[in-house]
Amino acid sequence: MPQYVSWWWQVMNTNKHDLTSPVLVTVFVLIGAAILWYRSTLSSKLPPGPRNLPIVGYLPFLGPNLHTEFTNMAHTYGPIFKIWLGSKLYVVINTPELAKTVVRDQDETFANRSLTVAASVLTYGGQDIVWSNNNSSWRNLRKILVHEVLSNKNLEASRFLRRDEVRKTIKDVYSKIGTKIDIKEISFVTIANVLTSMVWGKDAHLGDEFQMVASKIVEMFGRPNLSDFFPFLTWFDLQGVKRETKRHVKNLDRIFTSMIDDRIKSNSEGVTIGHEGKKDLLQILLELKDQKDTTSLDINNIKALLTDIMLAGTETTTSLIQWAMAEIMQNRNVMERVQEELAEIVGPNNIVEESHLPKLKYLDATIKETLRLHPGVPLLIPRSPSQNCTVGGYTIPKGCTVFLNVWAIFRDPRYWDNPLEFNPERFLARDETDKYDFKGNNLKFLPFGSGRRLCPGVPLAEKMQMYILASLLHSFDWSLPKGEEHDFSDIFSLALQKIKPLVAIPSQRLTDVSLYM
């Protein structure tokens, strides 16, 4: 209990305004009465949950790591429970059986999102793919991303971009053999360079500036914000989350605006854009924007889509690579098996190519086991029902926030043998009826979601995480700096973050030095 109270106390003491001012006290009293009346009007068939204080609900008792807090609460209140945080009702689902009701049986009903203040600022009011409600604009953006960028044909056409960037990373690591390497940093740079090449062209790299902006935005997403729990406080922005997020997004917007303006100017001057006649994503989006008769795409939609690609694409994959490297290094038998497979499939006198990836079954299983223990988004992106509905016999009111607690599902002994053990073999030798993939077909394993809100970036993420890990592990042996031990502590944020970044020392593994050039 003391840790929860200290979190609440910290929130209260980071306010930019005095919560005891007469105006705010009066507002709180009036809103508190409204909250109590609202709660009393709801059906008695709401899911069970903890007792709440009159106005703030359960807020003073909730720790910052929601994935572990909610999992512990499920042990007390069952597979589905409610929790009042301020004036907002949250419902947490903790089993695949109930998740099926949300992502399949009533997928369309639960296809809307519940925007936080930070998310609204970042996405120009929910005009992107991740946070937009289920509407025609969202369907249009998703169609563009899936068919114009992430189709098998387009991913194959951009293969040379991924190869070039991964080879640059291997060369860079080789130049630093025997020294400390920040795994998160090299992964982030590699992925960001691939994405910017696909979006803006082969020579467009955002570099350190984007990495700094991205880290700040992710930090804002992980910060508890009173305005999310008491929407009437949004105008006051007591903790400055909205102002600070706007400041970081302004920097991101400046980067995007510069890129877009440069491209519009190049187009007006008749400059040929693309590689070998292939248009990049920005060119495609600008041409679609000008086709007023076929699309409602505008500049804010374009910027919001670019934000999704660049932020979600870098953060979740970078997080996965760092966790996977930590687990592989911790489990030497896993490291040996991964490298034996690489030696067999790739060969000791060759470099990893994307054509090798489908044959690396054990590495694939290792990545899946990493996502099981360290899911990138442990509660997935929250959903919000568009009408009153029923889940597990309980009433789920329209407009509430629904979390799918995949962290709990992935560590539940009813579905996984020895769930806290890192064991990639659990994903091998499965028959077709029990196949695990990244499409959410098996609801015991849905790290990227399921149904119509399945992450559309899965095909590219799957290639990138596999390619980078295979290349790092085939080219180098890895060890911790002398005297250091692995720390698997995490913190809840936009992507599940490793509190202590993984720093490792590479040593040469291949005898042919030319393979590092």
Side-chain angles (χ1 to χ4, degrees):
M1 184 69 70
Q3 65 175 348
Y4 310 148
V5 176
S6 66
W7 171 77
W8 176 253
W9 181 257
Q10 182 182 19
V11 168
M12 292 294 97
N13 281 277
T14 57
N15 294 333
K16 305 292 184 182
H17 302 273
D18 184 3
L19 280 174
T20 62
S21 69
V23 173
L24 283 182
V25 168
T26 301
V27 171
F28 259 106
V29 170
L30 294 175
I31 296 297
I35 291 172
L36 292 175
W37 174 83
Y38 171 66
R39 292 179 187 175
S40 67
T41 63
L42 290 178
S43 168
S44 61
K45 288 192 175 182
L46 290 176
R51 295 175 65 87
N52 302 280
L53 296 178
I55 296 177
V56 298
Y58 197 74
L59 265 178
F61 314 115
L62 192 65
N65 278 350
L66 297 185
H67 57 306
T68 55
E69 294 298 319
F70 286 166
T71 299
N72 291 335
M73 292 173 71
H75 297 155
T76 301
Y77 300 106
I80 179 172
F81 65 85
K82 74 174 185 301
I83 181 171
W84 285 98
L85 301 179
S87 63
K88 300 292 289 293
L89 175 63
Y90 295 78
V91 174
V92 185
I93 291 172
N94 305 277
T95 65
E97 293 82 6
L98 293 177
K100 176 178 178 293
T101 304
V102 172
V103 302
R104 289 190 186 166
D105 301 342
Q106 301 185 59
D107 188 18
E108 185 171 3
T109 298
F110 283 95
N112 283 345
R113 292 302 195 197
S114 184
L115 267 179
T116 64
V117 170
S120 180
V121 172
L122 178 64
T123 62
Y124 305 87
Q127 297 191 53
D128 68 330
I129 290 179
V130 176
W131 290 97
S132 171
N133 280 334
N134 176 30
N135 52 37
S136 59
S137 176
W138 171 76
R139 288 188 289 272
N140 184 42
L141 281 177
R142 185 182 176 94
K143 181 179 179 181
I144 291 170
L145 182 61
V146 170
H147 293 288
E148 301 291 351
V149 184
L150 300 177
S151 67
N152 290 334
K153 178 181 178 181
N154 289 336
L155 286 178
E156 176 60 24
S158 60
R159 175 170 48 86
F160 73 95
L161 296 173
R162 295 186 291 277
R163 187 182 192 277
D164 286 352
E165 294 303 332
V166 171
R167 295 314 303 166
K168 287 178 186 176
T169 298
I170 296 304
K171 182 178 180 180
D172 181 54
V173 173
Y174 180 74
S175 71
K176 301 173 183 176
I177 275 183
T179 64
K180 296 179 180 180
I181 299 289
D182 187 323
I183 298 298
K184 179 179 180 180
E185 181 177 342
I186 64 169
S187 302
F188 185 97
V189 170
T190 305
I191 297 162
N193 286 346
V194 167
L195 292 175
T196 52
S197 296
M198 293 177 66
V199 172
W200 282 288
K202 192 174 186 302
D203 298 323
H205 288 167
L206 296 184
D208 295 338
E209 183 180 13
F210 174 71
Q211 185 173 1
M212 181 178 67
V213 172
S215 65
K216 292 294 184 182
I217 291 175
V218 170
E219 179 185 336
M220 299 309 300
F221 268 83
R223 186 180 299 180
N225 185 13
L226 286 175
S227 297
D228 291 329
F229 310 125
F230 300 97
F232 71 92
L233 291 177
T234 302
W235 185 83
F236 299 99
D237 193 22
L238 296 175
Q239 295 159 263
V241 170
K242 186 174 183 179
R243 288 190 296 279
E244 192 170 344
T245 304
K246 278 186 174 181
R247 181 164 59 86
H248 298 312
V249 170
K250 184 178 180 180
N251 291 330
L252 190 63
D253 186 273
R254 176 175 49 79
I255 296 172
F256 290 161
T257 299
S258 175
M259 292 284 192
I260 292 171
D261 289 347
D262 286 348
R263 179 59 57 83
I264 291 175
K265 181 180 179 181
S266 297
N267 288 343
S268 67
E269 296 173 350
V271 178
T272 302
I273 302 298
H275 178 82
E276 297 179 354
K278 184 183 184 301
K279 299 173 184 177
D280 56 38
L281 174 62
L282 180 57
Q283 187 67 25
I284 293 169
L285 293 177
L286 290 175
E287 291 179 5
L288 288 172
K289 180 183 76 71
D290 294 335
Q291 298 174 11
K292 298 295 185 181
D293 57 329
T294 59
T295 178
S296 58
L297 206 62
D298 61 23
I299 287 294
N300 282 345
N301 288 139
I302 292 175
K303 290 179 179 178
L305 180 57
L306 297 180
T307 299
D308 280 350
I309 293 171
M310 296 306 304
L311 275 182
T314 52
E315 287 299 322
T316 54
T317 306
T318 296
S319 177
L320 177 277
I321 291 172
Q322 186 176 210
W323 285 115
M325 286 292 290
E327 289 286 6
I328 291 170
M329 290 172 63
Q330 170 81 347
N331 297 271
R332 302 305 298 186
N333 61 317
V334 174
M335 171 84 82
E336 290 173 3
R337 284 203 58 180
V338 167
Q339 291 184 327
E340 287 172 1
E341 181 179 64
L342 286 165
E344 178 184 348
I345 302 299
V346 179
N349 299 309
N350 197 8
I351 61 173
V352 178
E353 303 284 1
E354 283 196 2
S355 59
H356 297 127
L357 303 185
K359 304 172 186 177
L360 299 174
K361 303 300 184 183
Y362 189 78
L363 180 58
D364 176 66
T366 301
I367 290 173
K368 288 173 179 172
E369 179 70 341
T370 301
L371 284 168
R372 186 187 67 81
L373 280 177
H374 311 284
V377 187
L379 301 177
L380 299 184
I381 304 296
R383 296 179 177 232
S384 182
S386 56
Q387 61 186 27
N388 292 343
C389 52
T390 301
V391 176
Y394 295 105
T395 298
I396 309 300
K398 174 184 176 180
C400 71
T401 299
V402 177
F403 286 116
L404 296 180
N405 187 1
V406 298
W407 173 274
I409 294 173
F410 294 174
R411 293 171 176 244
D412 195 321
R414 290 174 296 179
Y415 313 114
W416 306 93
D417 295 331
N418 301 314
L420 301 184
E421 176 187 351
F422 187 81
N423 178 22
E425 293 194 22
R426 71 174 81 243
F427 286 99
L428 298 174
R430 297 280 182 174
D431 60 35
E432 288 301 311
T433 62
D434 199 18
K435 184 178 181 180
Y436 294 97
D437 57 25
F438 293 130
K439 298 178 182 178
N441 292 320
N442 187 323
L443 295 181
K444 291 188 291 185
F445 185 70
L446 58 164
F448 294 100
S450 184
R452 70 188 65 204
R453 298 311 297 241
L454 173 74
C455 173
V458 169
L460 180 58
E462 192 171 359
K463 284 182 181 294
M464 285 304 304
Q465 63 199 23
M466 190 84 155
Y467 194 13
I468 294 174
L469 278 170
S471 298
L472 292 176
L473 293 166
H474 181 61
S475 300
F476 306 101
D477 288 312
W478 296 88
S479 60
L480 288 180
K482 187 176 181 180
E484 293 193 14
E485 296 181 356
H486 283 289
D487 183 351
F488 289 90
S489 303
D490 59 39
I491 186 168
F492 184 83
S493 186
L494 177 63
L496 191 66
Q497 299 292 313
K498 194 173 183 295
I499 290 181
K500 183 179 180 181
L502 177 61
V503 174
I505 298 176
S507 57
Q508 183 175 334
R509 186 163 180 266
L510 305 176
T511 56
D512 186 352
V513 174
S514 67
L515 297 176
Y516 294 97
M517 298 297 111

